[in-house]
């Protein structure tokens, strides 16, 4: 006959494993669906800590399923997986291939130019025919130019590693950009 304490221990371990699996599923779903970073990283850690506490409380009993090693292992993975995700994202950015971009704007008058390099942007005043080159490993690079005179025709060109990838010519403002997910 199974003792009542053994049933409680089995339920506690099963709850620990269920919380660990839920934490890992939430982490994977959050990363794939681009949910809020705070929620994607914090909730799995919290669930993993709760699972670890439950696994620790149920450690004394040798019987029951799942075993204590499974409960501890899954709780530890649920806690460590968000940290490994962050490290993977950082390393992917560090080791991303870099490309050389040439950003060119031509206008009959000075223009206000916004240069996008990933999440960073800089604003400058450019005169006619100005261009710059930059090396970037970012997935989004672009240039946005606006003239103070709305009828002034402005053109822009974005060249990546010698190949033109975006051009635009309009009155008042232009936008040339590269988005790795779209281009």
């Amino acid at each position: 006959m199974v003792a009542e304490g053994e049933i409680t221990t089995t339920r506690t371990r099963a709850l620990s494993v269920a919380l660990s699996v839920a934490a890992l599923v939430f982490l994977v779903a959050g990363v794939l669906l681009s949910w809020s970073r705070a929620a994607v990283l914090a909730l799995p850690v919290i669930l993993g800590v709760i699972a670890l506490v439950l696994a620790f409380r149920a450690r004394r009993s040798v019987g029951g399923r799942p075993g204590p090693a499974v409960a501890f292992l899954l709780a530890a993975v649920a806690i460590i997986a968000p940290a490994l995700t962050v490290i993977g994202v950082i390393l992917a950015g560090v080791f991303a291939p870099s490309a050389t971009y040439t950003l060119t704007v031509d206008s009959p008058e000075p223009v206000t130019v916004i240069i996008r390099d990933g999440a960073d942007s800089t604003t400058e005043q450019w005169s006619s025919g100005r261009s710059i080159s930059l090396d970037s490993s970012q997935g989004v690079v672009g240039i946005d130019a606006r003239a103070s005179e709305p009828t002034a025709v402005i053109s822009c060109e974005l060249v990546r590693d010698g190949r033109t990838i975006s051009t635009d010519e309009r009155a008042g403002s232009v936008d040339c950009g590269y988005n790795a997910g779209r281009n």
Side-chain angles (χ1 to χ4, degrees):
M1 186 165 186
V2 178
E4 185 177 325
E6 193 69 34
I7 292 172
T8 303
T9 300
T10 299
R11 287 183 184 157
T12 303
R13 272 198 209 129
L15 181 58
S16 172
V17 168
L19 285 174
S20 298
V21 170
L24 293 170
V25 167
F26 186 84
L27 176 68
V28 170
V31 168
L32 292 177
L33 298 175
S34 301
W35 291 343
S36 159
R37 288 185 186 128
V40 168
L41 299 175
L43 189 61
V45 171
I46 292 168
L47 290 175
V49 168
I50 293 169
L52 188 61
V53 168
L54 291 174
F56 187 74
R57 287 183 64 199
R59 77 187 184 287
R60 293 197 178 155
S61 175
V62 263
R65 295 275 179 224
V70 171
F72 279 111
L73 180 66
L74 281 175
V77 168
I79 294 169
I80 294 170
L84 293 177
T85 301
V86 170
I87 290 169
V89 167
I90 291 170
L91 289 178
V94 169
F95 295 118
S98 181
T100 300
Y101 295 89
T102 303
L103 310 166
T104 305
V105 173
D106 193 15
S107 170
E109 63 181 63
V111 292
T112 302
V113 175
I114 300 171
I115 302 164
R116 295 180 309 273
D117 186 14
D120 298 329
S121 67
T122 56
T123 303
E124 298 178 9
Q125 289 291 330
W126 281 15
S127 355
S128 177
R130 173 112 188 263
S131 68
I132 64 164
S133 291
L134 65 101
D135 286 328
S136 178
S137 60
Q138 299 298 318
V140 176
V141 175
I143 191 164
D144 181 22
R146 298 188 189 284
S148 57
E149 178 62 42
T151 58
V153 176
I154 307 168
S155 64
C156 69
E157 181 179 60
L158 178 62
V159 178
R160 180 178 187 216
D161 291 331
R163 195 182 91 214
T164 301
I165 56 174
S166 179
T167 60
D168 193 8
E169 181 175 271
R170 284 186 282 160
S173 69
V174 291
D175 185 11
C176 291
Y178 170 76
N179 184 334
R182 293 184 186 163
N183 295 48

